[in-house]
Amino acid sequence: MGSWKVTLCAGVAAVAATLTPTAYGYAAEPAGGVSVTPSAPAPGDEVTLKVTGCSGKKATAASKAFVSDAHLVGAGSGGSLSGETRIRTSIDPGSYDVTITCADFRVRGAVKVVAASASPSTPASPVAPVRAGGGGAAPLAAVDDSRVEGPGVAHAVTGLLLAGAAAVAVALRRTRRRRGTD
């Protein structure tokens, strides 16, 4: 595995350990698991929350760290529910409680917000030309032709011949209509 994959897996494992669910409320059965991606978000980051074991098709995740509550949706009947929200930009780094309310249980956990880095690890948009393919036209598009030419004499003659043929066809059609043979 690459180092970034190992780092990601370790972060997910740390959040999973932090968000170990505590069932309470109206559930007779044990609650499911909860995960947050990315595992250590910074202020302003978008996070994806996922809960398993909920028999309903909807759940809500609330925290002071979130801009708004996350509405989790999914297949239900023991399946997993997921949803997205954003971490407040004005929040201080630290651990914040998260409460997920499902149809048959509640899960409490925490999300650890880290300080924002000075420069983002991944640019928000491409910073250089992107070779995105283009099928058979890609070699033609890659040629840097600095001169731009309009249609030549051959194009003009072809256009005039096509326009003349269209005019003759229209004239013949009108003549046939006037005679009543059409």
Side-chain angles (χ1 to χ4, degrees):
M1 254 196 251
S3 64
W4 68 273
K5 288 181 181 178
V6 172
T7 303
L8 180 64
C9 289
V12 169
V15 167
T18 303
L19 293 179
T20 302
T22 305
Y24 74 97
Y26 24 104
E29 62 197 47
V34 178
S35 67
V36 178
T37 307
S39 59
D45 284 355
E46 189 169 300
V47 293
T48 301
L49 296 130
K50 185 175 179 183
V51 63
T52 58
C54 182
S55 64
K57 294 184 179 183
K58 295 180 184 178
T60 303
S63 174
K64 289 182 180 181
F66 300 156
V67 170
S68 64
D69 292 350
H71 299 284
L72 311 176
V73 294
S77 67
S80 65
L81 305 177
S82 63
E84 296 178 345
T85 189
R86 188 170 298 275
I87 302 294
R88 292 182 189 277
T89 56
S90 61
I91 201 162
D92 294 325
S95 183
Y96 294 89
D97 291 336
V98 177
T99 302
I100 297 179
T101 305
C102 191
D104 53 355
F105 66 88
R106 288 187 183 178
V107 178
R108 286 190 185 237
V111 62
K112 183 179 180 184
V113 178
V114 297
S117 62
S119 62
S121 60
T122 305
S125 62
V127 293
V130 177
R131 292 187 58 94
L140 299 174
V143 174
D144 184 22
D145 194 7
S146 59
R147 65 173 200 244
V148 178
E149 295 181 11
V153 175
H155 292 109
V157 171
T158 303
L160 288 173
L161 289 175
L162 290 173
V168 170
V170 169
L172 289 175
R173 180 101 173 151
R174 282 188 182 167
T175 305
R176 285 185 184 171
R177 279 195 178 166
R178 287 185 186 159
R179 287 187 196 161
T181 57
D182 194 27

